[in-house]
Amino acid sequence: MHRRDIDQLDTARRYWVPVVVSPERNWAAAPGCRKGARYLVNCRTLRVSRDEFEAFETEFGCLGWITRNRASLNRLLPGAKVRAVPLERWLLGLD
């Protein structure tokens, strides 16, 4: 899904997304970023993204995806912790 298509989601439901915060300035996974920059994780590429994401219907589903891909995520997103957060909180900058 792309951020521009967010209005297609059911507003009565809570969606969960995998996210990451850059642990350092000019982080290897996002060259040129500042420390603390917030990113979604693109579930297809396992790389950081500001716009492309997979919305999971449950926290459990999102955490399961993170667990299944943990080794690759650790390799591609060094030093960062991937977390499952509610999409609306991430979009509002609350999480």
Side-chain angles (χ1 to χ4, degrees):
M1 173 164 273
H2 196 279
R3 252 174 99 168
R4 70 175 171 260
D5 302 323
I6 202 119
D7 60 338
Q8 295 177 10
L9 295 174
D10 180 358
T11 58
R13 300 187 69 148
R14 172 167 269 183
Y15 294 94
W16 294 82
V17 291
V19 300
V20 66
V21 174
S22 91
E24 60 192 30
R25 184 175 176 274
N26 203 27
W27 179 39
C33 73
R34 65 173 174 75
K35 181 178 181 176
R38 300 168 50 248
Y39 296 98
L40 295 158
V41 177
N42 182 315
C43 293
R44 190 175 30 84
T45 65
L46 304 181
R47 301 207 183 270
V48 297
S49 175
R50 292 224 183 253
D51 298 315
E52 295 181 13
F53 63 94
E54 174 82 25
F56 293 87
E57 293 187 6
T58 64
E59 181 181 19
F60 183 75
C62 189
L63 289 171
W65 180 88
I66 293 169
T67 301
R68 286 188 304 278
N69 292 284
R70 177 72 61 202
S72 295
L73 291 168
N74 287 341
R75 184 174 35 79
L76 294 169
L77 310 172
K81 179 182 176 189
V82 179
R83 301 178 302 126
V85 300
L87 176 60
E88 74 275 6
R89 291 188 57 83
W90 187 89
L91 291 171
L92 292 171
L94 300 174
D95 221 337

